[in-house]
């Protein structure tokens, strides 16, 4: 009888060696080693005791696992499982240049949410926003720069080789292994059918998430992958299957072991073999095609590219690092390398472009796959008409005609100095949505700018102003062309240049023609198709120029303020001035005055004299700084301020009285007063006179009581106290007359009001 520790299962009629030998089935009588390896186990019999411990296998980094499955030596590799749909949707990824569209998407979502919550009909607003979004998307994706196309080609959610294969084929069987000891998951091969035709499919396979990318080695094949592709090419050639290859790799895997196993030789062998295959070959670049890693399965009769795919000898980042010593120059490198579909078609490297939906292939993968299917059928229909000899010659000539040179053409003398002529960057208009995004971003920066962060804002402003100037020039050029003025402008320009070259004054007739053309253009400009965009850019230029001017003034003002304060401190720190200040302080303390009103005339005069001395010293200092000094007396400023306060108080009082007079109680009393005055006539008797006076007094008292209980009286008292304090401090300069204050004061004391009684009579 035997027993296993840490397990409730018992084993009978067997020895320990037999138990251990049964591990070939993956464990001990159905118990897997994964369970048993967690702790040591012991097998005991009457005469024997065996202790064993499962050895942990050292993990090796992909793509070179020594033993893929520790329980099955030389068994099936786990990464050979079938390609399965992802469990959940891929997370949306927004590229940097797509960020302006996010704001519009958010607006549409917010409006829909509001419509659902409130139950109101916002269909018109939603339709308008959706149209604007579609137009912005169209503008953005019809003016893509090369580096933006590179970013789209590398998009994490872009459909992979197998995504397209399962969309375009009716049947597909994946074939594995290079028959030399390894199966590289970065290259997938298999036989499939499209519309009943059988093809051999070979392609680079990237992952759809991080886990898959690690498993697929980010689409970078090892020599085993290229040898697997080569085996399948021989297989297709033997059985007469046309070959379709899908290119999507940053390049061949360049580690030490790959080089030891002959990475370069594997690629070279593929290149040589592909030129000798007797079946039609079509290659499609669905993402990025990098260097020899792409070319190893790309020597085809037809090379097609998706609209946003790229095909290059070196990545833009690598090229920029070599030529400009920084990867930040990648946009410039991408432009110079000519790596996009349209540019490669012009150079006859690519033979056609397969369209993508707006937003890239990941926006509508099934539609993109359908376009690929149509392109394969068209290309194969053309190639199947050729016999073997013609097919091989066609493939050879395709690559022989790439590039070229000219002989016997004279070289421009200017270019002889520097054989490569410097190319001026071709200016292109920025899409309106992108420009709007940049403008709003800059506006926020300006609004948030503080004193310490004015410099970065100034730099951003200068860049935006320069950009807007270029944009406006382009818009004007477009308007001139659209309005049919281009030819006339060029003719006039030629005449002007001719006149200038002869050192003659411009002829009056020519000047008139220029003025007439300018007037005609300005009148017709509002009808130009791009006038709205041009006006928007002009307004933005004007706004930012004003903001720049304000910032410059602000910075200059701050510098000047600091200089003046520094000089003022120097004046106040002079020993003589400090001595006078201390003496005056001592005199004031000695007098025992608690306020300016308690000071005697002598002290007030001393204070006034010292003020004048400081003013004169400061004026001299400012003049030495080349500043025009205009001394404005503090009293004058105070008088102006007080005048404004008095006027404001008058207006407030009048409004209050008008509102009180409109009240029902005072209205009735006023009507009664009017009737009594009308009865009295020109010579009222004593009784009527007394009655009229009583009514007048009643109205005055009500007005006085209402105003006294309001805030106006408090404001009046504060103003009176302020004026008294200023008078004690040195008096006003007379511009604020006492009558003004008395008039205001009387409004609170007697509530002065004028009532029109009709018949050229009035009561005040």
């Amino acid at each position: 009888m035997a027993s296993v520790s840490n397990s409730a299962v018992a084993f009978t009629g067997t020895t320990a060696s037999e138990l251990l030998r049964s591990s070939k089935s993956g464990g001990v009588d159905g118990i897997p080693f994964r369970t048993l390896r967690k702790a040591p186990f012991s097998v005991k019999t009457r005469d024997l005791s065996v202790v064993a411990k499962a050895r942990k296998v050292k993990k090796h980094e992909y793509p070179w696992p020594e033993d893929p499955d520790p329980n099955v030596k030389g068994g099936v590799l786990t990464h050979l499982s079938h390609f399965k749909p992802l469990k959940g949707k891929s997370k949306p990824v927004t590229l940097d240049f797509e960020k302006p569209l996010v704001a519009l998407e958010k607006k549409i979502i917010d409006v829909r949410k509001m419509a659902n919550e409130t139950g109101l009909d916002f269909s018109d607003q939603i339709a308008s926003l959706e149209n604007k979004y579609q137009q912005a998307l169209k503008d953005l994706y019809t003016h893509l720069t090369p580096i933006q196309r590179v970013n789209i080609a590398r998009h994490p959610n872009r459909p992979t080789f197998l995504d397209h294969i399962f969309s375009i084929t009716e049947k597909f069987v994946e074939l594995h292994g290079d028959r030399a000891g390894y199966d590289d998951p970065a290259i997938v091969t298999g036989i499939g059918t499209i519309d009943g035709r059988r093809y051999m499919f070979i392609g680079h396979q990237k992952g759809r998430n991080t886990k898959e990318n690690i498993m697929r080695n980010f689409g970078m094949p090892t020599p085993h992958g290229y040898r697997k592709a080569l085996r399948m090419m021989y297989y297709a050639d033997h059985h007469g299957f046309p070959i379709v290859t899908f290119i999507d790799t940053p390049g061949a895997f360049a580690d030490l072991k790959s080089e030891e196993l002959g990475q370069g030789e594997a690629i070279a062998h593929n290149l040589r073999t592909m030129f000798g295959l007797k079946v039609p070959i079509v290659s499609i670049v669905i993402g990025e095609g990098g260097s020899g890693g792409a070319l190893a399965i790309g020597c085809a009769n037809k090379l097609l590219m998706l609209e946003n795919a790229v095909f290059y000898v070196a990545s833009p980042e690598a090229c920029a690092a070599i030529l400009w010593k920084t990867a930040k120059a990648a946009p410039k490198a991408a432009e110079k390398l000519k790596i996009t579909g349209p540019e490669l078609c012009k150079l006859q490297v690519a033979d056609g472009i397969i369209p993508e939906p707006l937003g890239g292939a990941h926006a509508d993968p099934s539609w993109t796959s359908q376009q690929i299917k149509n392109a394969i059928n068209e290309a194969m229909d053309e190639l199947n008409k050729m016999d073997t000899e013609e097919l091989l010659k066609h493939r050879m000539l395709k690559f022989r005609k790439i590039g070229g040179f000219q002989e016997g053409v004279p070289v421009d003398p200017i270019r002889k100095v520097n054989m490569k002529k410097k190319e001026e960057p071709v200016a292109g208009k920025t899409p309106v949505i992108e420009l709007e995004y940049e403008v709003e971003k800059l506006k926020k920066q300006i609004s948030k700018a503080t004193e310490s962060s004015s410099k970065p804002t100034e730099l951003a402003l200068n860049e935006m102003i320069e950009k807007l100037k270029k944009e406006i020039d382009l818009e004007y050029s477009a308007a001139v062309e659209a309005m049919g003025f281009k030819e006339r402008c060029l003719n006039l320009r030629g005449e002007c240049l001719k006149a200038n070259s002869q050192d003659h004054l411009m002829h009056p007739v020519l000047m008139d023609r220029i003025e007439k053309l300018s007037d005609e253009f300005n009148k017709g400009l509002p009808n130009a198709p791009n006038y709205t965009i041009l006006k928007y850019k002009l307004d933005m230029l004007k706004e930012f120029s004003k903001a720049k001017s304000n910032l410059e003034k602000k910075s200059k003002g701050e510098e000047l303020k600091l200089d003046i304060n520094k000089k003022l401190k120097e004046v106040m720190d002079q020993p003589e001035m400090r001595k006078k200040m201390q003496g005056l302080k001592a005199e004031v303390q000695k007098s025992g005055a608690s306020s300016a009103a308690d000071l005697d005339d002598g002290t007030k005069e001393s204070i006034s004299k010292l003020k004048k001395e400081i003013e004169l010293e400061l004026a001299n200092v400012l003049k030495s700084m080349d500043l025009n000094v205009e001394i404005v007396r503090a009293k004058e400023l105070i008088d102006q301020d007080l005048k404004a306060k008095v006027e404001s108080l008058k207006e407030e009082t009048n409004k209050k009285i008008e509102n009180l007079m409109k009240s029902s109680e005072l209205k009735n009393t006023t009507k009664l007063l009017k009737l009594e005055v009308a009865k009295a006539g020109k010579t009222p008797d004593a009784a009527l006179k007394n009655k009229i006076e009583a009514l007048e007094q009643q109205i005055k008292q009500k007005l006085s009581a209402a105003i006294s209980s309001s805030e106006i009286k408090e404001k009046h008292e504060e103003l009176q106290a302020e004026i008294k304090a200023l008078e004690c401090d040195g008096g006003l300069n007379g511009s604020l007359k006492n009558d003004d204050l008395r008039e205001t004061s009387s409004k609170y004391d007697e509530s002065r009001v004028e009532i029109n009684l009709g018949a050229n009579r009035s009561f005040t």
Side-chain angles (χ1 to χ4, degrees):
M1 179 67 103
S3 64
V4 180
S5 61
N6 298 324
S7 175
V9 182
F11 306 96
T12 57
T14 183
T15 64
S17 59
E18 287 172 347
L19 281 170
L20 293 174
R21 207 175 293 119
S22 68
S23 63
K24 65 184 179 181
S25 64
V28 181
D29 276 7
I31 300 175
F33 268 135
R34 285 182 184 175
T35 307
L36 298 175
R37 67 186 284 188
K38 291 178 183 176
F41 68 88
S42 62
V43 182
K44 295 179 183 178
T45 62
R46 291 174 186 175
D47 305 316
L48 179 67
S49 176
V50 178
V51 178
K53 186 176 180 180
R55 182 175 62 85
K56 286 188 178 180
V57 180
K58 185 183 176 183
K59 290 184 179 179
H60 292 268
E61 288 188 5
Y62 186 84
W64 305 112
E66 282 192 2
D67 195 358
D69 194 336
N71 292 326
V72 184
K73 188 162 178 144
V76 180
L77 297 175
T78 55
H79 55 250
L80 296 186
S81 58
H82 296 291
F83 185 77
K84 297 172 185 175
L86 291 172
K87 291 180 181 177
K89 284 186 178 180
S90 300
K91 290 181 181 178
V93 178
T94 304
L95 301 173
D96 287 338
F97 68 90
E98 292 178 321
K99 284 179 181 176
L101 296 171
V102 175
L104 276 174
E105 279 183 320
K106 194 178 177 185
K107 278 184 186 175
I108 293 167
I109 292 163
D110 290 344
V111 173
R112 279 181 178 155
K113 190 179 177 183
M114 195 187 296
N116 292 334
E117 288 175 357
T118 59
L120 298 172
D121 184 17
F122 289 103
S123 54
D124 292 343
Q125 288 87 336
I126 291 167
S128 173
L129 284 169
E130 283 177 345
N131 289 337
K132 193 177 179 183
Y133 175 81
Q134 287 300 324
Q135 187 59 44
L137 186 68
K138 189 178 178 183
D139 289 344
L140 190 63
Y141 272 83
T142 49
H143 299 94
L144 288 170
T145 61
I147 195 66
Q148 287 172 346
R149 289 192 191 277
V150 172
N151 291 331
I152 295 169
R154 293 172 178 170
H155 198 286
N157 297 337
R158 195 169 175 85
T160 63
F161 163 57
L162 286 175
D163 286 318
H164 289 305
I165 288 298
F166 288 117
S167 293
I168 66 177
T169 58
E170 295 93 33
K171 296 177 183 177
F172 179 74
V173 178
E174 188 177 343
L175 302 174
H176 299 280
D178 64 343
R179 298 295 184 268
Y182 193 69
D183 181 66
D184 187 356
I187 282 188
V188 174
T189 60
I191 300 171
T193 59
I194 298 176
D195 296 339
R197 294 181 184 176
R198 194 174 287 107
Y199 298 100
M200 173 63 75
F201 293 101
I202 301 168
H204 299 102
Q205 177 63 26
K206 284 185 178 179
R208 297 166 293 177
N209 51 41
T210 307
K211 188 178 178 181
E212 280 191 15
N213 266 320
I214 292 167
M215 188 190 83
R216 300 281 180 184
N217 201 31
F218 295 87
M220 295 185 289
T222 61
H224 291 287
Y226 293 118
R227 286 174 184 137
K228 175 169 75 170
L230 183 66
R231 185 173 79 85
M232 298 308 164
M233 287 176 197
Y234 280 132
Y235 184 87
D237 191 47
H238 178 75
H239 291 284
F241 300 151
I243 299 169
V244 181
T245 66
F246 286 73
I247 297 168
D248 187 16
T249 179
F253 191 52
D255 71 329
L256 182 62
K257 193 164 184 180
S258 293
E259 296 301 331
E260 287 173 354
L261 290 170
Q263 183 74 284
E265 182 274 339
I267 292 170
H269 198 168
N270 279 26
L271 296 176
R272 186 185 68 180
T273 303
M274 287 187 83
F275 280 104
L277 296 175
K278 297 170 186 176
V279 292
I281 307 172
V282 173
S283 289
I284 301 166
V285 185
I286 58 172
E288 55 178 336
S291 191
L295 207 58
I297 59 168
C299 295
N301 295 91
K302 292 273 185 185
L303 177 67
L304 307 175
M305 293 181 71
L306 283 180
E307 190 179 345
N308 294 315
V310 289
F311 197 49
Y312 48 70
V313 70
S315 69
E317 292 82 4
C319 176
I322 294 164
L323 296 181
W324 291 282
K325 309 301 178 190
T326 172
K328 289 181 181 178
K332 189 178 180 182
E335 192 178 338
K336 298 289 181 186
L337 282 168
K338 311 289 183 190
I339 58 177
T340 60
E343 288 165 337
L344 290 171
C345 281
K346 284 179 188 176
L347 297 169
Q348 297 185 335
V349 173
D351 300 297
I353 297 170
I354 301 170
E356 290 186 31
L358 289 175
H362 53 279
D364 193 347
S366 58
W367 187 88
T368 309
S369 297
Q370 190 59 42
Q371 299 307 308
I372 292 171
K373 182 179 177 180
N374 296 339
I376 291 170
N377 284 333
E378 284 177 21
M380 287 299 177
D381 287 341
E382 184 185 337
L383 296 172
N384 283 331
K385 292 174 185 176
M386 302 179 187
D387 57 26
T388 304
E389 191 178 339
E390 197 178 349
L391 199 67
L392 291 169
K393 190 176 180 181
H394 177 274
R395 197 178 306 147
M396 182 268 293
L397 289 175
K398 172 184 164 45
F399 286 89
R400 289 288 292 173
K401 73 181 178 183
I402 293 171
F405 57 90
Q406 290 179 315
E407 289 182 358
V409 178
V411 181
D412 186 0
I414 298 168
R415 291 183 68 184
K416 281 182 182 177
V417 180
N418 225 343
M419 286 305 289
K420 188 175 179 181
K421 191 176 179 182
K422 289 184 179 178
E423 296 177 9
E424 290 294 324
V426 180
K429 284 196 286 187
T430 309
V432 179
I433 187 73
E434 193 176 325
L435 189 66
E436 283 179 356
Y437 177 72
E438 288 177 18
V439 164
E440 288 301 320
K441 192 177 175 183
L442 185 56
K443 280 182 179 178
K444 285 177 184 175
Q445 280 182 15
I446 292 167
S447 63
K448 289 178 182 177
T450 56
E451 292 177 5
S452 58
S453 63
S454 59
K455 285 286 176 191
T457 312
E458 277 184 42
L459 291 171
L461 258 177
N462 290 334
E463 285 177 13
M464 178 56 77
I465 286 166
E466 287 303 315
K467 186 175 183 178
L468 282 169
K469 282 178 181 177
K470 288 176 185 175
E471 290 284 328
I472 288 164
D473 286 342
L474 290 169
E475 293 295 346
Y476 269 122
S477 300
V480 165
E481 195 168 348
M483 292 164 69
F485 285 88
K486 189 175 180 180
E487 195 174 339
R488 290 165 68 186
C489 287
L490 288 171
N491 291 337
L492 270 176
R493 186 183 175 189
E495 288 179 34
C496 291
L497 288 170
K498 192 176 178 182
N500 290 335
S501 64
Q502 294 173 358
D503 295 330
H504 292 309
L505 289 170
M506 197 175 286
H507 198 278
V509 176
L510 189 59
M511 289 180 73
D512 287 342
R513 282 174 64 192
I514 292 167
E515 284 178 14
K516 281 179 184 177
L517 185 64
S518 177
D519 292 339
E520 194 179 338
F521 175 74
N522 289 331
K523 283 177 184 176
L525 188 60
N527 300 322
N530 63 333
Y531 177 70
T532 310
I533 299 166
L534 175 61
K535 192 173 182 302
Y536 169 75
K537 289 177 181 178
L538 284 167
D539 291 342
M540 287 301 104
L541 180 62
K542 190 177 177 183
E543 188 178 334
F544 286 133
S545 298
K546 191 178 177 182
K548 183 187 174 184
S549 176
N550 291 338
L551 273 175
E552 284 174 355
K553 284 178 183 176
K554 184 183 173 185
S555 61
K556 283 179 183 176
E558 284 169 2
E559 287 173 13
L560 192 60
K561 188 179 175 182
L562 289 170
D563 289 343
I564 290 169
N565 286 337
K566 191 178 175 183
K567 295 288 183 184
L568 180 60
K569 193 173 182 297
E570 287 174 8
V571 169
M572 297 306 292
D573 287 345
Q574 287 175 6
E576 191 180 342
M577 195 63 71
R578 195 181 287 176
K579 190 178 178 182
K580 286 180 182 178
M581 287 288 288
Q582 287 172 355
L584 193 59
K585 279 181 185 177
E587 193 178 336
V588 171
Q589 286 174 1
K590 193 177 178 183
S591 66
S594 57
S595 65
D598 298 337
L599 290 170
D600 56 14
D601 294 337
T603 308
K604 285 180 182 178
E605 195 176 338
S606 300
I607 291 168
S608 180
K609 192 177 177 183
L610 186 60
K611 276 184 182 178
K612 284 177 182 177
E613 281 183 34
I614 293 167
E615 282 176 3
L616 287 169
E617 283 288 335
L618 188 57
N620 292 331
V621 168
L622 294 174
K623 280 176 183 175
S624 68
M625 293 169 69
D626 295 330
L627 294 170
N628 293 326
V629 181
E630 192 175 310
I631 298 173
V632 180
R633 303 289 174 192
K635 291 173 186 176
E636 291 174 14
L637 294 172
I638 291 164
D639 284 355
Q640 288 171 11
D641 186 38
L642 283 173
K643 269 188 177 180
K645 285 182 180 178
V646 168
E647 288 301 321
S648 172
L649 200 54
K650 279 182 184 178
E651 286 176 16
E652 200 174 338
T653 308
N654 288 334
K655 281 181 185 176
K656 183 74 176 174
I657 290 167
E658 282 172 16
N659 292 334
L660 287 168
M661 290 302 296
K662 286 175 185 176
S663 65
S664 57
E665 191 179 347
L666 276 174
K667 262 188 181 179
N668 295 334
T669 312
T670 307
K671 283 179 183 177
L672 188 60
L673 179 61
K674 283 182 180 181
L675 287 170
E676 293 298 332
V677 169
K679 281 181 190 177
K682 289 182 181 180
T683 54
D685 57 10
L688 279 172
K689 201 172 184 180
N690 290 335
K691 198 171 184 180
I692 287 167
E693 284 176 5
L695 286 169
E696 287 174 0
Q697 195 62 32
Q698 192 180 343
I699 290 167
K700 285 179 184 179
Q701 283 173 359
K702 284 178 181 177
L703 287 172
S704 181
I707 291 171
S708 298
S709 62
S710 68
E711 294 176 1
I712 296 173
K713 190 171 183 180
E714 290 176 14
K715 288 181 182 177
H716 173 257
E717 286 169 357
E718 285 173 11
L719 192 57
Q720 268 189 327
E722 195 176 337
I723 291 166
K724 271 186 182 180
L726 287 168
E727 283 174 346
C728 293
D729 193 36
L732 300 170
N733 68 350
S735 62
L736 181 68
K737 294 177 182 177
N738 290 333
D739 294 343
D740 292 335
L741 190 62
R742 287 199 193 98
E743 187 185 338
T744 311
S745 180
S746 66
K747 291 192 176 184
Y748 310 107
D749 297 337
E750 297 182 0
S751 303
R752 190 170 179 275
V753 64
E754 187 172 320
I755 303 165
N756 185 19
L757 300 174
N760 300 321
R761 293 165 61 86
S762 65
F763 152 64
T764 303

